[in-house]
Every structure is written in structure tokens, then in C-alpha cells.
Amino acid sequence: MWRSCLRLRDGGRRLLNRPRGGLTASEGLGPKPPTPIRAYVPPAERKRFYQNVNISQGEGGFEINLDHRKLRTPQGKLFTVPSEALAIAVATEWDSQQDTIKMYTMHLTTLCNTSLDNPTQRDKDQLIWAAVKFLDTDTVWVEEPETLVELQRNEWDPVISWAERRYGVEIGSSSSITGPSIPARTREVLVSHLASYNMWALQGIEFVVTQLKSLVLTLGLTDLHLTVEQAVLLSRLEEEYQIQKWGNIEWAHDYELQELRARTAAGTLFVHLCSESTAVKHKLLQG
Amino acid sequence: MAALGSPLRTWRGLLRELRYLNAATGRPYRDTAAYRYLVKAFRAHRVTSEKLCRAQHELHFQAATYLCLLRSIREHVALHQEFHGKGERSVEESAGLVGLKLPQQPGGKGWEP
């Protein structure tokens, strides 16, 4: 541990000597300090270089200020978000970094950067298609193996029937390896439902679908039907069963569980904050 | 199926997480923008009548999601520090694992500077 601290001090000096151009969220560090041949030293981490984090309102939306500098995305664009709550949450993320900046804990910042930069340059249809692609192999329909079937039916059937009622579609569950065949009408209904979200919310939805490996569970989250803990539990049903049977390994199972929960919560919050409309705010004021 | 629990519980959890976040920086958590925003949002949530339950429920859901986010990030970082944060062992430590010790050569090995 102390060895990597020695490297850090070296990297810190380089950071200070660098000319102050536009600061990017994940700036490359340039020439790395020389690494010894044998030991693995994790790449030098960026130290926290700011004292205060504030938000301010600009033309495009809300911006984050680290001390007096404005936060930028990895591609150099100005970091603007449409919603104040989202800006405050991102500011809290940056504020909670101590000593070193751990980008892997800043899920909301990452989601905002992806939405602003769109590095893979996907448009709305491609995002929807990517999300609906998970429908064929959705986690909640596969009922396998035999020992788990009862547990799966108990837990997943309510969610499936809720989804069927909510969207007026028909889907079943199957025990074959290919999964159930999804009727075309179901696909159309879900595609049109997803099309009603804006680009930012779709990025969030696609992110959550990739994490949970299930479109149905994601829809449950966006429609406030499931909490994040419930959705993660349902997604990891087989693993939870095995953990109960064979025991829990903290540094693997708990680690993955917390990471999955963090990402799913970040994605869900992102979707809700990005698809909020002012109509909701008016209701609160008038009530 | 939305087993969200009571808003009070979510509120107290959020306060706790904010306290943990700000304990390291030393600043009182009541100064943070997040605290002020949450106080405003929860106050507005109380004022609405029970009939307009959709907006209330939505706000509580978002608060619970944010709580889950903060809590799981904190636990994830703690687990990472405890189990995965140590990096690789040095050559001396690895030798010590199997009960060996590296030889001490006061003159240095021939090929080292």
C-alpha cells in the first residue's frame, strides 16, 4: 500500500506542473511513472484537487463548479444537466471523494458524461433496440433448473403478471434454453412505450437493463413497482439461492451485490430525474 | 409490491448517509446542498394530501433509490478497501508466506547498480 503511495506523490507533482487548460473529468495522466518489472502497481490515482463543490445555473441547465473551475466531460464539453436534483446528486458524489478520486464510485457522473458525449454515437432507435434485445433472453422467464423452479415461479410470476397487466401484452415463461417466443405485438407495445422517454432517460434505461439482464425488471423500476433492492434480488435469484445453500463469500458475493445495487440505483434515479416534467412540480405546489 | 417502508425511515437513512459522507471532510452536513434540497422536498411531500398519492409515492421512491445508491456505494468502497485494496505483495512478503527469507547480501547483487 505504501509503495503505491510513493508513486502517487510523484504523479501529484506532475499534475501540479501541468498547464491549466480545461479540466476534464477523466484526464489522462500522460507519461506514467516508471513501473518496476515485477510488482503490479495500480495506475496512479488523481488526488482530490478541489475544496468546494457548488452548482450554478447556466444557459443549458445546471453546471458543477469544482472550486472556481467548471466541470467538463471527458470529451471536453461543459457538463450541464437539465435537473437540479441530478446536479446536486452529482455534486455530492464529487464532494464525497476523499484524498483520491475514485471514478468507479461516481455512477451518476458517468451516466451524465455518457449522455452528454454519446461516445458510441447511438441514436434513440438504437438505444431502444439495444434494450428490447434483452427481452428474448430476459432473466425472469427462464425457469431452470428443476430445483429452482418453484422459487422462480413464486418470485417471478407476480412480476410477469404485473407486466402483462400493465402493458396489455402476453408473455409466458419457459423452461427451454431458447426462452419463450415473444409475440410481435408485445415487442411493438414495449418499443412504443420506450420511445416515449427522452434520450437521457433512455441511456439510463439501457444501462439498467444491461446491469439486471432483464427488461421486465427495469420496467418495474421505472414504473415504481419494484424497489431497487427487490429488483436486484429478483435478478440475482439463482445466486441468492446458491448462497443460502452453500454459504456467502463476502469478498465476492457481497461485493458484486453492492456494486449491482449501486449501479441499478444510479440508473433508476437517473431515469426518474431525467424524465421528470414540470407538471409534477405544479401538483406539489398546488396540493 | 412496492415495499418502500415509511418515509420517516428513508429520511433518517438519508441523514445518516449524509453524515457519513461529510464526516471525513469535517464540514457539518447541514450546510450541504443535498441536505437543503432533501429538507425542502420532504417538507413539500408532507403538505400534499393523501389523494394525490402518485407524486408523493414518486418522491418517496426517488428518495429511497438515492438512499440505496449512497448506502451501496459506501459498502462497496468499504468492501473494496478491506479485500481488494491491498495490491500485490512484495517479494519479501511472498517469500515469507512459504517460510522462506530473501538472502541478505551486503555488497549487493552483482548486476544491480
PDB file of all heavy atoms in Angstrom, chain A residues 2-8 10 32-44, chain B residues 87-92 112:
ATOM      1  N   TRP A   2       1.918   1.228   0.867  1.00  0.00           N
ATOM      2  CA  TRP A   2       2.756   2.426   0.953  1.00  0.00           C
ATOM      3  C   TRP A   2       3.547   2.594  -0.332  1.00  0.00           C
ATOM      4  O   TRP A   2       3.915   3.693  -0.704  1.00  0.00           O
ATOM      5  CB  TRP A   2       3.672   2.346   2.166  1.00  0.00           C
ATOM      6  CG  TRP A   2       4.519   1.122   2.217  1.00  0.00           C
ATOM      7  CD1 TRP A   2       4.231  -0.055   2.825  1.00  0.00           C
ATOM      8  CD2 TRP A   2       5.806   0.944   1.621  1.00  0.00           C
ATOM      9  NE1 TRP A   2       5.261  -0.932   2.658  1.00  0.00           N
ATOM     10  CE2 TRP A   2       6.239  -0.361   1.927  1.00  0.00           C
ATOM     11  CE3 TRP A   2       6.639   1.773   0.869  1.00  0.00           C
ATOM     12  CZ2 TRP A   2       7.456  -0.852   1.509  1.00  0.00           C
ATOM     13  CZ3 TRP A   2       7.864   1.268   0.453  1.00  0.00           C
ATOM     14  CH2 TRP A   2       8.252  -0.038   0.775  1.00  0.00           C
ATOM     15  N   ARG A   3       3.809   1.496  -0.993  1.00  0.00           N
ATOM     16  CA  ARG A   3       4.570   1.614  -2.231  1.00  0.00           C
ATOM     17  C   ARG A   3       3.782   2.402  -3.267  1.00  0.00           C
ATOM     18  O   ARG A   3       4.307   3.214  -3.985  1.00  0.00           O
ATOM     19  CB  ARG A   3       4.890   0.220  -2.755  1.00  0.00           C
ATOM     20  CG  ARG A   3       5.903   0.256  -3.863  1.00  0.00           C
ATOM     21  CD  ARG A   3       6.158  -1.082  -4.415  1.00  0.00           C
ATOM     22  NE  ARG A   3       6.972  -1.872  -3.495  1.00  0.00           N
ATOM     23  CZ  ARG A   3       7.585  -2.978  -3.880  1.00  0.00           C
ATOM     24  NH1 ARG A   3       7.485  -3.407  -5.099  1.00  0.00           N
ATOM     25  NH2 ARG A   3       8.288  -3.679  -3.010  1.00  0.00           N
ATOM     26  N   SER A   4       2.441   2.117  -3.320  1.00  0.00           N
ATOM     27  CA  SER A   4       1.651   2.845  -4.310  1.00  0.00           C
ATOM     28  C   SER A   4       1.521   4.310  -3.913  1.00  0.00           C
ATOM     29  O   SER A   4       1.352   5.167  -4.744  1.00  0.00           O
ATOM     30  CB  SER A   4       0.276   2.215  -4.482  1.00  0.00           C
ATOM     31  OG  SER A   4      -0.296   1.945  -3.234  1.00  0.00           O
ATOM     32  N   CYS A   5       1.645   4.594  -2.579  1.00  0.00           N
ATOM     33  CA  CYS A   5       1.596   5.987  -2.170  1.00  0.00           C
ATOM     34  C   CYS A   5       2.809   6.734  -2.685  1.00  0.00           C
ATOM     35  O   CYS A   5       2.733   7.902  -3.022  1.00  0.00           O
ATOM     36  CB  CYS A   5       1.544   6.090  -0.642  1.00  0.00           C
ATOM     37  SG  CYS A   5      -0.043   5.606   0.006  1.00  0.00           S
ATOM     38  N   LEU A   6       3.949   6.053  -2.728  1.00  0.00           N
ATOM     39  CA  LEU A   6       5.140   6.717  -3.243  1.00  0.00           C
ATOM     40  C   LEU A   6       4.922   7.119  -4.688  1.00  0.00           C
ATOM     41  O   LEU A   6       5.278   8.189  -5.126  1.00  0.00           O
ATOM     42  CB  LEU A   6       6.338   5.774  -3.138  1.00  0.00           C
ATOM     43  CG  LEU A   6       6.930   5.657  -1.729  1.00  0.00           C
ATOM     44  CD1 LEU A   6       8.067   4.664  -1.742  1.00  0.00           C
ATOM     45  CD2 LEU A   6       7.436   7.012  -1.273  1.00  0.00           C
ATOM     46  N   ARG A   7       4.302   6.228  -5.440  1.00  0.00           N
ATOM     47  CA  ARG A   7       4.043   6.543  -6.844  1.00  0.00           C
ATOM     48  C   ARG A   7       3.133   7.741  -6.941  1.00  0.00           C
ATOM     49  O   ARG A   7       3.264   8.592  -7.774  1.00  0.00           O
ATOM     50  CB  ARG A   7       3.351   5.356  -7.513  1.00  0.00           C
ATOM     51  CG  ARG A   7       4.133   4.096  -7.459  1.00  0.00           C
ATOM     52  CD  ARG A   7       5.016   3.927  -8.692  1.00  0.00           C
ATOM     53  NE  ARG A   7       5.908   2.798  -8.475  1.00  0.00           N
ATOM     54  CZ  ARG A   7       7.159   2.941  -8.085  1.00  0.00           C
ATOM     55  NH1 ARG A   7       7.683   4.120  -7.904  1.00  0.00           N
ATOM     56  NH2 ARG A   7       7.907   1.891  -7.859  1.00  0.00           N
ATOM     57  N   LEU A   8       2.141   7.768  -6.006  1.00  0.00           N
ATOM     58  CA  LEU A   8       1.129   8.823  -6.038  1.00  0.00           C
ATOM     59  C   LEU A   8       1.764  10.181  -5.900  1.00  0.00           C
ATOM     60  O   LEU A   8       1.413  11.128  -6.582  1.00  0.00           O
ATOM     61  CB  LEU A   8       0.178   8.573  -4.873  1.00  0.00           C
ATOM     62  CG  LEU A   8      -1.183   9.210  -4.936  1.00  0.00           C
ATOM     63  CD1 LEU A   8      -1.943   8.609  -6.069  1.00  0.00           C
ATOM     64  CD2 LEU A   8      -1.892   8.943  -3.646  1.00  0.00           C
ATOM     65  N   ASP A  10       4.644  11.171  -6.713  1.00  0.00           N
ATOM     66  CA  ASP A  10       5.271  11.520  -7.980  1.00  0.00           C
ATOM     67  C   ASP A  10       4.234  12.043  -8.958  1.00  0.00           C
ATOM     68  O   ASP A  10       4.391  13.080  -9.571  1.00  0.00           O
ATOM     69  CB  ASP A  10       5.880  10.235  -8.572  1.00  0.00           C
ATOM     70  CG  ASP A  10       7.280  10.509  -9.018  1.00  0.00           C
ATOM     71  OD1 ASP A  10       7.678  11.673  -8.991  1.00  0.00           O
ATOM     72  OD2 ASP A  10       7.954   9.538  -9.384  1.00  0.00           O
ATOM     73  N   LYS A  32       3.344   7.888 -17.545  1.00  0.00           N
ATOM     74  CA  LYS A  32       3.164   7.289 -16.228  1.00  0.00           C
ATOM     75  C   LYS A  32       4.515   7.210 -15.538  1.00  0.00           C
ATOM     76  O   LYS A  32       5.552   7.093 -16.196  1.00  0.00           O
ATOM     77  CB  LYS A  32       2.604   5.876 -16.386  1.00  0.00           C
ATOM     78  CG  LYS A  32       1.137   5.857 -16.724  1.00  0.00           C
ATOM     79  CD  LYS A  32       0.491   4.596 -16.182  1.00  0.00           C
ATOM     80  CE  LYS A  32      -0.988   4.611 -16.490  1.00  0.00           C
ATOM     81  NZ  LYS A  32      -1.335   3.749 -17.603  1.00  0.00           N
ATOM     82  N   PRO A  33       4.513   7.190 -14.204  1.00  0.00           N
ATOM     83  CA  PRO A  33       5.795   6.994 -13.503  1.00  0.00           C
ATOM     84  C   PRO A  33       6.325   5.608 -13.831  1.00  0.00           C
ATOM     85  O   PRO A  33       5.556   4.691 -14.082  1.00  0.00           O
ATOM     86  CB  PRO A  33       5.408   7.113 -12.028  1.00  0.00           C
ATOM     87  CG  PRO A  33       3.938   7.016 -11.973  1.00  0.00           C
ATOM     88  CD  PRO A  33       3.418   7.456 -13.280  1.00  0.00           C
ATOM     89  N   PRO A  34       7.621   5.437 -13.854  1.00  0.00           N
ATOM     90  CA  PRO A  34       8.198   4.151 -14.294  1.00  0.00           C
ATOM     91  C   PRO A  34       7.777   3.043 -13.341  1.00  0.00           C
ATOM     92  O   PRO A  34       7.913   3.182 -12.145  1.00  0.00           O
ATOM     93  CB  PRO A  34       9.707   4.393 -14.242  1.00  0.00           C
ATOM     94  CG  PRO A  34       9.880   5.563 -13.349  1.00  0.00           C
ATOM     95  CD  PRO A  34       8.663   6.393 -13.476  1.00  0.00           C
ATOM     96  N   THR A  35       7.234   1.961 -13.865  1.00  0.00           N
ATOM     97  CA  THR A  35       6.785   0.861 -13.008  1.00  0.00           C
ATOM     98  C   THR A  35       7.853  -0.209 -12.987  1.00  0.00           C
ATOM     99  O   THR A  35       8.442  -0.524 -14.012  1.00  0.00           O
ATOM    100  CB  THR A  35       5.508   0.249 -13.561  1.00  0.00           C
ATOM    101  OG1 THR A  35       5.662   0.050 -14.959  1.00  0.00           O
ATOM    102  CG2 THR A  35       4.340   1.197 -13.346  1.00  0.00           C
ATOM    103  N   PRO A  36       8.076  -0.795 -11.809  1.00  0.00           N
ATOM    104  CA  PRO A  36       9.070  -1.879 -11.753  1.00  0.00           C
ATOM    105  C   PRO A  36       8.549  -3.071 -12.546  1.00  0.00           C
ATOM    106  O   PRO A  36       7.361  -3.217 -12.759  1.00  0.00           O
ATOM    107  CB  PRO A  36       9.165  -2.192 -10.266  1.00  0.00           C
ATOM    108  CG  PRO A  36       7.914  -1.664  -9.681  1.00  0.00           C
ATOM    109  CD  PRO A  36       7.480  -0.523 -10.524  1.00  0.00           C
ATOM    110  N   ILE A  37       9.454  -3.943 -12.923  1.00  0.00           N
ATOM    111  CA  ILE A  37       9.052  -5.002 -13.823  1.00  0.00           C
ATOM    112  C   ILE A  37       8.177  -6.012 -13.114  1.00  0.00           C
ATOM    113  O   ILE A  37       7.237  -6.541 -13.668  1.00  0.00           O
ATOM    114  CB  ILE A  37      10.304  -5.692 -14.402  1.00  0.00           C
ATOM    115  CG1 ILE A  37      11.154  -4.646 -15.096  1.00  0.00           C
ATOM    116  CG2 ILE A  37       9.903  -6.776 -15.371  1.00  0.00           C
ATOM    117  CD1 ILE A  37      12.526  -5.104 -15.443  1.00  0.00           C
ATOM    118  N   ARG A  38       8.467  -6.279 -11.797  1.00  0.00           N
ATOM    119  CA  ARG A  38       7.766  -7.390 -11.185  1.00  0.00           C
ATOM    120  C   ARG A  38       6.447  -6.998 -10.565  1.00  0.00           C
ATOM    121  O   ARG A  38       5.424  -7.561 -10.889  1.00  0.00           O
ATOM    122  CB  ARG A  38       8.650  -8.006 -10.111  1.00  0.00           C
ATOM    123  CG  ARG A  38       9.741  -8.832 -10.697  1.00  0.00           C
ATOM    124  CD  ARG A  38      10.479  -9.544  -9.616  1.00  0.00           C
ATOM    125  NE  ARG A  38      11.860  -9.759 -10.022  1.00  0.00           N
ATOM    126  CZ  ARG A  38      12.885  -9.801  -9.184  1.00  0.00           C
ATOM    127  NH1 ARG A  38      12.678  -9.616  -7.913  1.00  0.00           N
ATOM    128  NH2 ARG A  38      14.089 -10.005  -9.618  1.00  0.00           N
ATOM    129  N   ALA A  39       6.420  -6.036  -9.672  1.00  0.00           N
ATOM    130  CA  ALA A  39       5.201  -5.807  -8.902  1.00  0.00           C
ATOM    131  C   ALA A  39       4.166  -5.068  -9.734  1.00  0.00           C
ATOM    132  O   ALA A  39       4.487  -4.225 -10.556  1.00  0.00           O
ATOM    133  CB  ALA A  39       5.529  -5.008  -7.649  1.00  0.00           C
ATOM    134  N   TYR A  40       2.918  -5.397  -9.505  1.00  0.00           N
ATOM    135  CA  TYR A  40       1.840  -4.668 -10.166  1.00  0.00           C
ATOM    136  C   TYR A  40       1.492  -3.462  -9.310  1.00  0.00           C
ATOM    137  O   TYR A  40       1.125  -3.591  -8.164  1.00  0.00           O
ATOM    138  CB  TYR A  40       0.622  -5.569 -10.320  1.00  0.00           C
ATOM    139  CG  TYR A  40      -0.625  -4.794 -10.649  1.00  0.00           C
ATOM    140  CD1 TYR A  40      -0.803  -4.214 -11.904  1.00  0.00           C
ATOM    141  CD2 TYR A  40      -1.624  -4.628  -9.710  1.00  0.00           C
ATOM    142  CE1 TYR A  40      -1.922  -3.489 -12.192  1.00  0.00           C
ATOM    143  CE2 TYR A  40      -2.766  -3.909 -10.009  1.00  0.00           C
ATOM    144  CZ  TYR A  40      -2.907  -3.342 -11.248  1.00  0.00           C
ATOM    145  OH  TYR A  40      -4.035  -2.621 -11.531  1.00  0.00           O
ATOM    146  N   VAL A  41       1.610  -2.301  -9.882  1.00  0.00           N
ATOM    147  CA  VAL A  41       1.217  -1.086  -9.157  1.00  0.00           C
ATOM    148  C   VAL A  41      -0.002  -0.525  -9.860  1.00  0.00           C
ATOM    149  O   VAL A  41       0.037  -0.307 -11.063  1.00  0.00           O
ATOM    150  CB  VAL A  41       2.366  -0.068  -9.182  1.00  0.00           C
ATOM    151  CG1 VAL A  41       1.912   1.225  -8.571  1.00  0.00           C
ATOM    152  CG2 VAL A  41       3.568  -0.609  -8.448  1.00  0.00           C
ATOM    153  N   PRO A  42      -1.072  -0.312  -9.154  1.00  0.00           N
ATOM    154  CA  PRO A  42      -2.264   0.234  -9.821  1.00  0.00           C
ATOM    155  C   PRO A  42      -1.947   1.607 -10.399  1.00  0.00           C
ATOM    156  O   PRO A  42      -1.101   2.318  -9.861  1.00  0.00           O
ATOM    157  CB  PRO A  42      -3.301   0.321  -8.708  1.00  0.00           C
ATOM    158  CG  PRO A  42      -2.599   0.059  -7.450  1.00  0.00           C
ATOM    159  CD  PRO A  42      -1.298  -0.586  -7.739  1.00  0.00           C
ATOM    160  N   PRO A  43      -2.567   1.990 -11.509  1.00  0.00           N
ATOM    161  CA  PRO A  43      -2.251   3.279 -12.139  1.00  0.00           C
ATOM    162  C   PRO A  43      -2.435   4.418 -11.154  1.00  0.00           C
ATOM    163  O   PRO A  43      -3.361   4.406 -10.366  1.00  0.00           O
ATOM    164  CB  PRO A  43      -3.254   3.384 -13.291  1.00  0.00           C
ATOM    165  CG  PRO A  43      -4.259   2.342 -13.050  1.00  0.00           C
ATOM    166  CD  PRO A  43      -3.613   1.281 -12.244  1.00  0.00           C
ATOM    167  N   ALA A  44      -1.555   5.384 -11.204  1.00  0.00           N
ATOM    168  CA  ALA A  44      -1.553   6.454 -10.218  1.00  0.00           C
ATOM    169  C   ALA A  44      -2.903   7.146 -10.203  1.00  0.00           C
ATOM    170  O   ALA A  44      -3.438   7.507 -11.238  1.00  0.00           O
ATOM    171  CB  ALA A  44      -0.452   7.449 -10.551  1.00  0.00           C
TER     172      ALA A  44
ATOM    173  N   GLY B  87      -3.354  -4.415  -3.237  1.00  0.00           N
ATOM    174  CA  GLY B  87      -2.339  -4.512  -4.286  1.00  0.00           C
ATOM    175  C   GLY B  87      -1.558  -5.811  -4.147  1.00  0.00           C
ATOM    176  O   GLY B  87      -1.912  -6.700  -3.403  1.00  0.00           O
ATOM    177  N   GLU B  88      -0.472  -5.884  -4.833  1.00  0.00           N
ATOM    178  CA  GLU B  88       0.302  -7.134  -4.820  1.00  0.00           C
ATOM    179  C   GLU B  88       1.273  -7.147  -3.657  1.00  0.00           C
ATOM    180  O   GLU B  88       1.723  -6.089  -3.204  1.00  0.00           O
ATOM    181  CB  GLU B  88       1.085  -7.235  -6.121  1.00  0.00           C
ATOM    182  CG  GLU B  88       1.081  -8.617  -6.696  1.00  0.00           C
ATOM    183  CD  GLU B  88       1.897  -8.670  -7.972  1.00  0.00           C
ATOM    184  OE1 GLU B  88       3.090  -8.339  -7.917  1.00  0.00           O
ATOM    185  OE2 GLU B  88       1.316  -9.010  -8.995  1.00  0.00           O
ATOM    186  N   ARG B  89       1.582  -8.342  -3.218  1.00  0.00           N
ATOM    187  CA  ARG B  89       2.561  -8.433  -2.134  1.00  0.00           C
ATOM    188  C   ARG B  89       3.957  -8.205  -2.691  1.00  0.00           C
ATOM    189  O   ARG B  89       4.235  -8.520  -3.838  1.00  0.00           O
ATOM    190  CB  ARG B  89       2.504  -9.841  -1.525  1.00  0.00           C
ATOM    191  CG  ARG B  89       1.255 -10.110  -0.764  1.00  0.00           C
ATOM    192  CD  ARG B  89       1.405 -11.379   0.034  1.00  0.00           C
ATOM    193  NE  ARG B  89       0.119 -11.825   0.488  1.00  0.00           N
ATOM    194  CZ  ARG B  89      -0.685 -12.621  -0.197  1.00  0.00           C
ATOM    195  NH1 ARG B  89      -0.289 -13.101  -1.352  1.00  0.00           N
ATOM    196  NH2 ARG B  89      -1.857 -12.951   0.272  1.00  0.00           N
ATOM    197  N   SER B  90       4.840  -7.739  -1.812  1.00  0.00           N
ATOM    198  CA  SER B  90       6.220  -7.567  -2.257  1.00  0.00           C
ATOM    199  C   SER B  90       6.908  -8.931  -2.282  1.00  0.00           C
ATOM    200  O   SER B  90       6.377  -9.924  -1.792  1.00  0.00           O
ATOM    201  CB  SER B  90       6.968  -6.643  -1.305  1.00  0.00           C
ATOM    202  OG  SER B  90       7.128  -7.293  -0.066  1.00  0.00           O
ATOM    203  N   VAL B  91       8.106  -8.949  -2.843  1.00  0.00           N
ATOM    204  CA  VAL B  91       8.821 -10.224  -2.964  1.00  0.00           C
ATOM    205  C   VAL B  91       9.138 -10.790  -1.586  1.00  0.00           C
ATOM    206  O   VAL B  91       9.038 -11.991  -1.353  1.00  0.00           O
ATOM    207  CB  VAL B  91      10.109 -10.033  -3.782  1.00  0.00           C
ATOM    208  CG1 VAL B  91      10.843 -11.346  -3.928  1.00  0.00           C
ATOM    209  CG2 VAL B  91       9.759  -9.494  -5.149  1.00  0.00           C
ATOM    210  N   GLU B  92       9.472  -9.891  -0.656  1.00  0.00           N
ATOM    211  CA  GLU B  92       9.789 -10.365   0.697  1.00  0.00           C
ATOM    212  C   GLU B  92       8.577 -11.008   1.338  1.00  0.00           C
ATOM    213  O   GLU B  92       8.673 -12.052   1.977  1.00  0.00           O
ATOM    214  CB  GLU B  92      10.259  -9.211   1.586  1.00  0.00           C
ATOM    215  CG  GLU B  92      11.614  -8.638   1.271  1.00  0.00           C
ATOM    216  CD  GLU B  92      11.546  -7.585   0.173  1.00  0.00           C
ATOM    217  OE1 GLU B  92      10.425  -7.248  -0.262  1.00  0.00           O
ATOM    218  OE2 GLU B  92      12.620  -7.130  -0.238  1.00  0.00           O
ATOM    219  N   GLU B 112      23.122  -5.470  -9.886  1.00  0.00           N
ATOM    220  CA  GLU B 112      22.339  -4.281  -9.535  1.00  0.00           C
ATOM    221  C   GLU B 112      23.237  -3.071  -9.426  1.00  0.00           C
ATOM    222  O   GLU B 112      24.374  -3.192  -9.018  1.00  0.00           O
ATOM    223  CB  GLU B 112      21.643  -4.519  -8.197  1.00  0.00           C
ATOM    224  CG  GLU B 112      20.311  -5.227  -8.362  1.00  0.00           C
ATOM    225  CD  GLU B 112      19.668  -5.490  -7.027  1.00  0.00           C
ATOM    226  OE1 GLU B 112      20.262  -5.073  -6.007  1.00  0.00           O
ATOM    227  OE2 GLU B 112      18.597  -6.092  -6.990  1.00  0.00           O
TER     228      GLU B 112
END
